[in-house]
Amino acid sequence: MYCESQVAHIYFGDVEHIRPKAEGKYPHLEFEWTNLGYCCARCNNAKKDQFDETCPVVDPYSEDPGTHLLAFGTTVRHKAGSERGAITIATTDLNRPELIERRAIRLTQLQNALDACYRTSSEAIRATLLAALKEEGAADKEFSMFAAALINANQPDGAL
Ligand SMILES: [Zn+2]
């Protein structure tokens, strides 16, 4: 829910408590559905029991992360003035080296696919490939925020 990694092919994934269940925090929300998320262990371990009601981490289940965060190359940046974006990045360690490396691999794959789209002389093939690429920016895809940013930046009109 934070780093956009596909974790299910490696392990079952963690249940994230957006508001920590720790004693003295929000133990009454331990089983509250709206307080739970699907998370990788790295993000979960980085966040631990951190949560600030006055500046909560972005909850991608109930709000658009794009309001606070943007993909810039292989790093996540907070939108200008967004303290919630900044605290989300810091709390979940969203620019850790392993993620930057994985995002770079993903972007290179997409760049190669984009090249195939634009180098073909067939309009029909181009349209088919672009339609398939558009799906790579869907929210359920790995690093979708980064994929969408690259794909949209390569469109003549700025967006698919
Ligand atoms: Zn993660």
Side-chain angles (χ1 to χ4, degrees), residues 38-61:
Y38 182 61
C39 184
C40 80
R42 296 292 302 274
C43 290
N44 203 13
N45 289 341
K47 182 173 170 283
K48 296 184 176 116
D49 291 339
Q50 300 176 78
F51 191 84
D52 181 349
E53 282 295 344
T54 64
C55 189
V57 295
V58 175
D59 176 359
Y61 295 115

Side-chain angles (χ1 to χ4, degrees), residues 1-5 7 39-44 94 96 99:
M1 66 183 283
Y2 296 122
C3 72
E4 299 188 308
S5 295
V7 297
C39 184
C40 80
R42 296 292 302 274
C43 290
N44 203 13
L94 289 183
R96 52 188 184 261
L99 282 175

Side-chain angles (χ1 to χ4, degrees), residues 52-121:
D52 181 349
E53 282 295 344
T54 64
C55 189
V57 295
V58 175
D59 176 359
Y61 295 115
S62 65
E63 57 191 323
D64 178 9
T67 303
H68 300 281
L69 303 167
L70 59 88
F72 192 79
T74 56
T75 61
V76 182
R77 298 292 167 187
H78 65 270
K79 287 203 168 172
S82 174
E83 293 177 327
R84 292 187 60 206
I87 201 73
T88 299
I89 293 167
T91 301
T92 56
D93 196 16
L94 289 183
N95 286 319
R96 52 188 184 261
E98 299 83 4
L99 282 175
I100 289 172
E101 184 178 339
R102 294 285 308 277
R103 291 170 188 147
I105 292 168
R106 177 94 165 106
L107 291 176
T108 298
Q109 292 168 338
L110 286 170
Q111 184 77 71
N112 291 337
L114 282 163
D115 282 342
C117 287
Y118 288 99
R119 287 178 181 158
T120 182
S121 58

